[in-house]
Amino acid sequence: MTTQKTQPVLAACLTVCAAAFVAGATLLAKALGTDTLGPALNPLQVSQGRFLFALMAIGSVALVMRPTIRRPAWGRHVVRSTLGWGGVTLMFAAAAYIPLSDATAISFLNPVFGMMLAIPFLGEKVGVWRWISAFVAILGAIILMRPGAGVMEFGALLALFGAMALGAELIVIKKLTNGEGPFQILLVNNLIGVAIATFAASFVWVWLTPLQWAALAGLGVLMAGAQTCFVNAMRRADASFVSPFFYTTLAFATLYDALAFGVLPDTISQSGAAIILASAMLLAWRESRRSKASS
């Protein structure tokens, strides 16, 4: 028996904490992308702050723990970090245009895109249930895009492209985990991410207000905390058990948006989010059944 299957309660708690942190980081990104804390910042600069302060937090832990760093696969890391930076930046941009619940729900599509890409790049076989789940999730995203609704449609499209980039990132992460440890992947990712994000932000960079600096620092620390919680949760339980708890991000995002901006999801938002959530839960249930059957 492995430790992965002996601490399900702790794994669930860690995953819910990760969900709360991710939703909080997205809320701060929305505040920075609007005029809430000062002049609205370009998403490129928000993304730079996310990577910079996350690297500072993870780097501080590395100085204390002094983990063993093996030779990284730099090419794959650059591809992974570029995709992650692009996905995060698009999600931050989307949060300034649409409710957090909409952006969060659409972000749940990234495993669907990862599944599709796993066929040609990882040689994985996708069964009927996975295709059904993917079809249902995409239907929910189409509802959230509100065709013909102007700015709302634009924000949803940004989130959709962000989910695509993050889905592609999952494929590269899968390849990296075959030869490198989680902490090394996390550290190298944020190191390269800072370089990419700083170059991109240099074209739009402006001086920040004290509140904006504080929000960026909080955003970076929250993302680092979310990544740490999720990685540790995956070590303590099966992925099929952990994944459904991460969907509580939607509840946290809705709550934060209501408290901070007074935004409540309308009927269309509720319908689209419910469809995507149902798709994700269906896939998680099916994967759990498969895992038990093969054990």
Side-chain angles (χ1 to χ4, degrees), residues 82-268:
T82 301
L83 289 169
W85 163 79
V88 166
T89 302
L90 287 169
M91 285 296 178
F92 287 167
Y97 290 95
I98 60 178
L100 290 186
S101 58
D102 284 16
T104 301
I106 294 174
S107 74
F108 290 157
L109 288 174
N110 78 77
V112 173
F113 293 120
M115 178 198 78
M116 294 177 177
L117 291 170
I119 299 173
F121 290 104
L122 298 179
E124 293 185 2
K125 295 182 179 180
V126 177
V128 174
W129 281 98
R130 288 186 177 183
W131 281 118
I132 292 175
S133 175
F135 175 79
V136 173
I138 292 173
L139 176 63
I142 291 173
I143 292 174
L144 288 176
M145 283 182 211
R146 294 170 168 85
V151 67
M152 293 296 288
E153 179 183 5
F154 174 70
L157 283 173
L158 289 176
L160 181 65
F161 286 125
M164 289 180 180
L166 294 174
E169 182 190 20
L170 291 176
I171 302 300
V172 187
I173 292 175
K174 180 66 175 177
K175 289 182 174 291
L176 284 170
T177 55
N178 292 332
E180 299 182 33
F183 191 87
Q184 176 172 317
I185 293 174
L186 195 61
L187 181 62
V188 175
N189 165 240
N190 283 277
L191 181 63
I192 298 175
V194 166
I196 296 172
T198 299
F199 174 76
S202 65
F203 297 97
V204 297
W205 205 90
V206 296
W207 193 254
L208 281 63
T209 66
L211 280 177
Q212 288 173 329
W213 278 115
L216 277 179
L219 191 159
V221 171
L222 284 173
M223 288 301 293
Q227 290 176 310
T228 302
C229 286
F230 193 71
V231 168
N232 280 282
M234 293 291 282
R235 286 181 175 178
R236 289 168 170 79
D238 294 333
S240 58
F241 173 82
V242 168
S243 296
F245 290 98
F246 193 68
Y247 302 138
T248 57
T249 306
L250 186 59
F252 286 114
T254 303
L255 176 63
Y256 296 165
D257 215 12
L259 293 176
F261 295 98
V263 176
L264 293 174
D266 58 16
T267 303
I268 295 178

